[in-house]
Amino acid sequence: MKVGTLELKFPLTPTRILLLAIFAFGSAVIVYRYAVGLGPSTNLNDAWPWGWWVSFGVLTGVALSGGAFVVTCLVHIFNVRKFEPFLRPAILAGFLGYNTVGLTLLVELGFPYRIWHPWVYWQHHSIMFEVAWCVTLYLCVLAVEFSPVLLEKIRQHRLIHAIHRVGVPLVIAGVIISTLHQSSLGTLFLVMPTKLNPLWYTPWLPLLFYISAIFSGVSFSILILYAAFKTFGRQVPFQLLADLAKGLPWVMGLYLILKLADLHTRGMLPELLKGDLYSLLMWAELLVGVVVPGIILSSGKLRNTFAGLFAGVWLVVAGLILNRFNVSLFGFIETAFLPYVPMWMEVMMSAAIVTGAILVFIAVAENLPLVETEHGEKSHGHHLPPTHSVSHGVKG
């Protein structure tokens, strides 16, 4: 298919047909939600105005998209140039991740047509005001950072040069904005001291949200990067992925120390021995998302194997998801006066948004110079071990 002077390709495979089917069905459910409102299409109620969408689509989505600002910071600010092949896929993944957050909010808001209000009606005392502005600004930063990929395709070299000249200030702005909104999402829950379970309610919540976004965002980026290289027939720079994960145990260790110090300071450590639902959820969050993957990724022998690296980063992602659900959903069960279980339509709408982002990622990678060229890959010499080699021409 040709669009202007560009020839676009998107061959249909069984996987892509399945993704398109999920996207189409979920999109129809979204249309139904707009037609009938939140009442008939969700199980939200007066006790649960925030449900599945905030836990999964917003809090989890923003945290897992944090890999973009970490990778760009490593390359452009700390000058770790060996990770440069990861820049474009990481930035695209972050950009699409933040778009899924915005689309989720459009579905979740009772008055979605008022989503522009924070940009016009300023409320300086509102954390939501800061989050809205920071997410919007960071989306703009990601769009500018990724634009050279498109401009390269249409040969707009002057514009590319102009963007590169402001590259470092742009990255610094992105890191600052990310720091603000990643932490501010934790600040949101500080207005609920009598509702959120005390195992998770803490003044340190903004800091914990920010640090967890760093190591979980990088872990998720490793999975995305592996998929991007493998799907489009490039040799996977496995050792580079392992090197990217090398610093994760240090950040996870800092997070664990702060978490335990916070529980100790507030006298909550004995609560972990109660054996009730909340203590089990906290143990699961810490063991699955921090302790076990931290041990795996801190061992060079394990981290430098396919099974070890991906077991570690998958566990980190699972633990992050559980943490965000603990803070925003499970931690409110005891104080809520009405029950809440997400309706299948809520989950289906999220599935449509996520599969839409996956399809866009595939289409962009199929038609734009997203991953390193074959020459660029060979110059690094970091590939999967022979026992885990990736055949060329594989399509997702």
Side-chain angles (χ1 to χ4, degrees):
M1 180 180 69
K2 282 193 174 183
V3 178
T5 59
L6 294 178
E7 185 176 351
L8 304 180
K9 56 181 180 178
F10 190 79
L12 293 179
T13 65
T15 301
R16 296 180 188 188
I17 291 172
L18 176 61
L19 290 172
L20 286 168
I22 295 172
F23 175 73
F25 182 66
S27 297
V29 176
I30 291 175
V31 172
Y32 176 78
R33 169 262 176 273
Y34 282 125
V36 302
L38 292 174
S41 59
T42 74
N43 281 336
L44 298 172
N45 52 55
D46 289 342
W48 296 93
W50 289 356
W52 165 267
W53 287 324
V54 168
S55 300
F56 178 78
V58 178
L59 298 184
T60 300
V62 166
L64 294 183
S65 301
F69 84 86
V70 178
V71 174
T72 54
C73 181
L74 285 173
V75 173
H76 289 300
I77 297 178
F78 294 104
N79 205 33
V80 188
R81 290 293 169 181
K82 67 178 181 179
F83 295 134
E84 201 159 4
F86 297 158
L87 267 178
R88 291 179 174 185
I91 291 172
L92 177 60
F95 179 68
L96 293 176
Y98 276 87
N99 273 283
T100 64
V101 172
L103 292 172
T104 299
L105 284 173
L106 279 174
V107 171
E108 190 266 344
L109 291 176
F111 298 97
Y113 47 85
R114 295 181 180 175
I115 197 169
W116 55 272
H117 278 203
W119 308 319
V120 177
Y121 303 113
W122 289 23
Q123 176 49 268
H124 306 88
H125 302 291
S126 170
I127 293 298
M128 291 292 285
F129 169 77
E130 182 195 346
V131 171
W133 264 97
C134 285
V135 170
T136 304
L137 291 174
Y138 189 53
L139 262 173
C140 296
V141 169
L142 287 171
V144 175
E145 287 179 340
F146 188 73
S147 62
V149 180
L150 177 60
L151 296 173
E152 182 180 318
K153 184 74 173 180
I154 59 177
R155 301 180 180 180
Q156 295 293 324
H157 301 296
R158 289 186 178 180
L159 284 175
I160 294 174
H161 180 68
I163 292 170
H164 285 166
R165 290 183 66 180
V166 297
V168 173
L170 197 67
V171 170
I172 293 173
V175 171
I176 293 172
I177 294 168
S178 295
T179 301
L180 290 172
H181 71 252
Q182 293 284 2
S183 60
S184 294
L185 286 172
T187 308
L188 280 176
F189 296 91
L190 297 185
V191 300
M192 311 174 197
T194 61
K195 294 185 177 182
L196 180 58
N197 187 278
L199 277 175
W200 291 279
Y201 184 85
T202 167
W204 294 13
L205 202 55
L207 178 61
L208 294 172
F209 260 50
Y210 173 63
I211 296 175
S212 60
I214 293 175
F215 63 78
S216 63
V218 172
S219 297
F220 189 66
S221 291
I222 289 173
L223 298 173
I224 295 295
L225 291 165
Y226 173 79
F229 278 85
K230 183 173 187 265
T231 300
F232 298 99
R234 307 294 187 186
Q235 282 192 311
V236 179
F238 180 81
Q239 191 56 53
L240 274 182
L241 293 176
D243 289 346
L244 185 59
K246 190 181 294 185
L248 293 181
W250 294 98
V251 185
M252 294 159 68
L254 173 63
Y255 176 85
L256 183 61
I257 291 170
L258 291 174
K259 190 88 169 178
L260 294 177
D262 168 63
L263 292 171
H264 172 71
T265 302
R266 297 187 294 112
M268 296 303 297
L269 283 178
E271 295 294 316
L272 295 179
L273 304 178
K274 277 191 171 182
D276 59 0
L277 172 65
Y278 300 108
S279 63
L280 293 176
L281 285 172
M282 178 61 83
W283 275 111
E285 170 190 319
L286 293 177
L287 291 175
V288 172
V290 182
V291 176
V292 175
I295 293 172
I296 294 172
L297 296 175
S298 62
S299 167
K301 189 174 181 180
L302 293 174
R303 186 180 61 248
N304 290 319
T305 64
F306 181 88
L309 176 63
F310 288 96
V313 294
W314 268 117
L315 285 172
V316 170
V317 170
L320 182 280
I321 294 172
L322 180 57
N323 169 259
R324 294 310 192 252
F325 271 78
N326 283 341
V327 172
S328 61
L329 198 67
F330 303 142
F332 291 93
I333 292 175
E334 191 174 36
T335 57
F337 55 88
L338 290 173
Y340 168 75
V341 177
M343 186 184 290
W344 68 268
M345 284 191 279
E346 295 175 60
V347 178
M348 199 65 234
M349 285 183 253
S350 292
I353 294 171
V354 171
T355 53
I358 295 172
L359 288 166
V360 172
F361 188 96
I362 293 172
V364 171
E366 195 91 64
N367 293 279
L368 296 177
L370 185 65
V371 297
E372 278 290 288
T373 63
E374 189 67 11
H375 173 75
E377 291 169 359
K378 287 181 178 177
S379 66
H380 288 284
H382 301 294
H383 308 303
L384 273 176
T387 53
H388 299 291
S389 61
V390 179
S391 60
H392 288 271
V394 179
K395 299 295 177 184

